[in-house]
Amino acid sequence: MRKLSTVFVLLVILVGCKQQPSEETYQWQLPNEFPTPIVPVDNPMSQAKVTLGRHLFYDKNLSANQQQSCASCHQQQYAFGENIAHSTGSTGQPHRRNAQSLINVGYNKTYTWAHDQLTTLEAQILIPLFGEQPIEMGVTGHEEIILKRFNTAMYNGLVKDAFGDKELTFDRIVKALASFNRSLISLGSPFDKYAYQMQNNVLTKQQLRGMSLFFSERLECHHCHGGFNFTQSTSHQKQQLDLRAFHNTGLYNTAGKYSYPTDDTGLYEITGNERDIGRFRAPTLRNIELTAPYMHDGSIKTLSEVIDFYAAGGRQILTGEHQGDGRNNRLKSQFVKGFELTAKQKEELLDFLSTLTDKDFINNPEFSNPFSTP
Ligand code: HEC
Ligand code: HEC
């Protein structure tokens, strides 16, 4: 019996390798037969690329003025998000949006808060590197100088391991960073242990009641934050969902031509289609406890307030430039309809959301700053 199962496991591995020859050198950290993310054919995963990418991710030499690395805005302790409403770029320019957490991003169907055409990490990573509105790393115009900084014995070795020779280019930098980002897998939360590893005693009764509320038709949370990543925006090797994962949640209803603040109208900016005003991607709720403040502009401070927001069926802003009643936004999703919760039920829901926190993820030494001595 034992032998048989070993043979079976070997067979599965062999068949798996045959389908993805390019991934032989990389061992995904995926429990319980989770499907592997889709990887572009011209950038197969390898441990050497992930290692190079990790060094680049934490290296301030990658920004023109050496003030900022990717990790300045994407910090491991906050599940690779940030604990402030808006990020600031390397030259001090404010970013209008809240830095997203980087959790299972290899599975994302689209990238950033509101873009339906940005479908690979490789494409997304060009934005913080080369983008000028706002300037994040400020690479544009400083490519040569930046590349020279990486001509060190350590990087020569890492680049050679990853790509076969020591020449570093921005194409290779992007590929390595994308590989490191794909390696950021978080599937070890108490919820995962309960739902996917069949450990029945991990969640308390209160958390289970919160889970029922989360998945109820009355609250509808799961409608938009569904699947194993708690977002509709998931695709993987076994299945590609084709859902429009962008929604107007009634966060605003300002006066004027647009019902959202004009500096960020969401998906509308990309499509020009009026019905997309205020539509943003439903983000993952994994590690959500760690990623306050919330929403695309960091305008809700706590999880408790997020629940009040959904219970009210949108946000009413009484004064200031964004004054208006989001509950009546005519483009609001029909699934944000409001509901009543007792104080106890609210606690239960919050307690359930806390079961999505993966301590191993934020403490995983493989993801930490390779330059800081432990
Ligand atoms: C100045 C802060 C800042 C820096 C530096 C920065 N980011 Fe970001 N990152 C953000 C913000 C803000 C967003 C959301 C952007 C949006 O929605 O328009 C984001 C989004 C992302 C996303 C999309 C995540 C998702 O779920 O769609 C990825 C991936 C990412 N960043 C990776 C990186 C990498 C790699 C670097 C380094 C090359 C980097 N970031 C540097 C602030 C930053
Ligand atoms: C109609 C789809 C939809 C429904 C239903 C929905 N959400 Fe959301 N959720 C979103 C979208 C879209 C965003 C981002 C909105 C934005 O930034 O403007 C979001 C944001 C969030 C955030 C903040 C995430 C972050 O990283 O900042 C939390 C927390 C959240 N939702 C929890 C819930 C809970 C709990 C429920 C059920 C009570 C729920 N959502 C119901 C679509 C939905």
Side-chain angles (χ1 to χ4, degrees):
M1 191 62 205
R2 180 115 191 215
K3 255 194 186 153
L4 244 179
S5 60
T6 316
V7 170
F8 179 68
V9 169
L10 269 175
L11 253 176
V12 170
I13 293 172
L14 284 174
V15 170
C17 288
K18 210 171 171 195
Q19 283 170 341
Q20 307 151 260
S22 51
E23 288 183 31
E24 272 164 318
T25 57
Y26 186 71
Q27 189 69 47
W28 289 96
Q29 300 299 311
L30 295 169
N32 294 40
E33 299 172 32
F34 265 97
T36 45
I38 295 167
V39 176
V41 277
D42 65 345
N43 190 20
M45 285 293 272
S46 74
Q47 188 53 51
K49 260 192 263 179
V50 170
T51 304
L52 171 63
R54 175 181 168 207
H55 284 77
L56 292 167
F57 188 87
Y58 282 97
D59 200 329
K60 290 189 176 167
N61 286 316
L62 197 51
S63 60
N65 62 7
Q66 293 165 290
Q67 295 301 306
Q68 207 169 43
S69 68
C70 307
S72 305
C73 302
H74 298 287
Q75 301 172 27
Q76 187 177 15
Q77 59 177 317
Y78 307 121
F80 295 97
E82 211 178 4
N83 65 342
I84 50 172
H86 297 261
S87 303
T88 303
S90 58
T91 60
Q93 281 188 8
H95 197 299
R96 62 185 175 156
R97 289 182 179 162
N98 180 248
Q100 291 174 299
S101 53
L102 304 177
I103 302 160
N104 301 346
V105 283
Y107 293 104
N108 283 9
K109 196 169 149 52
T110 65
Y111 291 90
T112 75
W113 281 101
H115 203 312
D116 60 353
Q117 306 296 314
L118 209 49
T119 55
T120 64
L121 275 165
E122 284 76 0
Q124 197 285 323
I125 287 169
L126 298 175
I127 299 174
L129 288 175
F130 295 100
E132 299 195 295
Q133 282 178 330
I135 292 176
E136 292 178 72
M137 318 278 288
V139 172
T140 302
H142 304 91
E143 290 86 346
E144 291 306 311
I145 290 177
I146 292 173
L147 288 177
K148 269 199 198 120
R149 290 181 198 148
F150 292 95
N151 191 3
T152 63
M154 185 197 73
Y155 273 107
N156 287 342
L158 290 173
V159 177
K160 185 158 189 283
D161 285 350
F163 293 103
D165 64 65
K166 69 183 173 78
E167 192 202 347
L168 191 60
T169 59
F170 271 96
D171 181 55
R172 287 180 171 183
I173 288 176
V174 167
K175 286 185 163 135
L177 283 169
S179 300
F180 175 63
N181 275 225
R182 283 195 181 94
S183 78
L184 300 174
I185 301 277
S186 171
L187 292 167
S189 68
F191 169 79
D192 292 301
K193 295 194 172 109
Y194 173 83
Y196 302 114
Q197 297 169 27
M198 309 305 158
Q199 297 180 25
N200 283 331
N201 300 324
V202 218
L203 301 194
T204 65
K205 287 214 170 76
Q206 156 142 327
Q207 290 166 339
L208 290 172
R209 282 196 296 269
M211 183 165 87
S212 303
L213 286 168
F214 184 90
F215 288 103
S216 68
E217 296 300 323
R218 189 160 75 87
L219 269 64
E220 293 285 11
C221 311
H222 68 295
H223 183 92
C224 305
H225 302 282
F228 68 87
N229 272 333
F230 294 84
T231 164
Q232 287 166 328
S233 180
T234 297
S235 60
H236 51 73
Q237 302 275 10
K238 291 188 184 161
Q239 172 199 31
Q240 283 208 54
L241 294 178
D242 191 20
L243 291 171
R244 286 183 57 87
F246 302 88
H247 308 273
N248 178 321
T249 56
L251 205 53
Y252 293 99
N253 196 6
T254 54
K257 190 164 172 223
Y258 310 99
S259 55
Y260 265 56
T262 46
D263 70 336
D264 202 346
T265 52
L267 187 61
Y268 172 73
E269 282 176 11
I270 309 300
T271 65
N273 191 332
E274 211 184 306
R275 65 160 194 216
D276 291 334
I277 293 173
R279 281 198 186 179
F280 290 85
R281 191 184 84 196
T284 180
L285 298 185
R286 287 184 171 277
N287 299 295
I288 194 68
E289 208 185 18
L290 307 171
T291 65
Y294 299 103
M295 307 316 216
H296 67 275
D297 54 1
S299 64
I300 301 188
K301 287 201 180 66
T302 65
L303 270 183
S304 169
E305 289 167 81
V306 172
I307 292 176
D308 294 343
F309 155 78
Y310 282 112
R315 179 168 65 179
Q316 186 179 22
I317 300 176
L318 293 171
T319 54
E321 55 170 334
H322 300 321
Q323 186 180 345
D325 195 345
R327 294 174 299 180
N328 303 329
N329 189 314
R330 65 190 174 83
L331 297 171
K332 190 183 79 166
S333 161
Q334 56 173 328
F335 293 104
V336 180
K337 52 191 195 287
F339 48 80
E340 275 180 32
L341 283 186
T342 63
K344 184 166 168 280
Q345 286 173 322
K346 186 177 160 187
E347 278 310 310
E348 289 166 353
L349 184 56
L350 282 168
D351 211 9
F352 166 66
L353 292 175
S354 76
T355 71
L356 300 176
T357 304
D358 181 353
K359 296 245 164 61
D360 295 341
F361 180 65
I362 56 167
N363 294 312
N364 191 333
E366 308 235 335
F367 305 152
S368 67
N369 186 345
F371 302 110
S372 60
T373 39

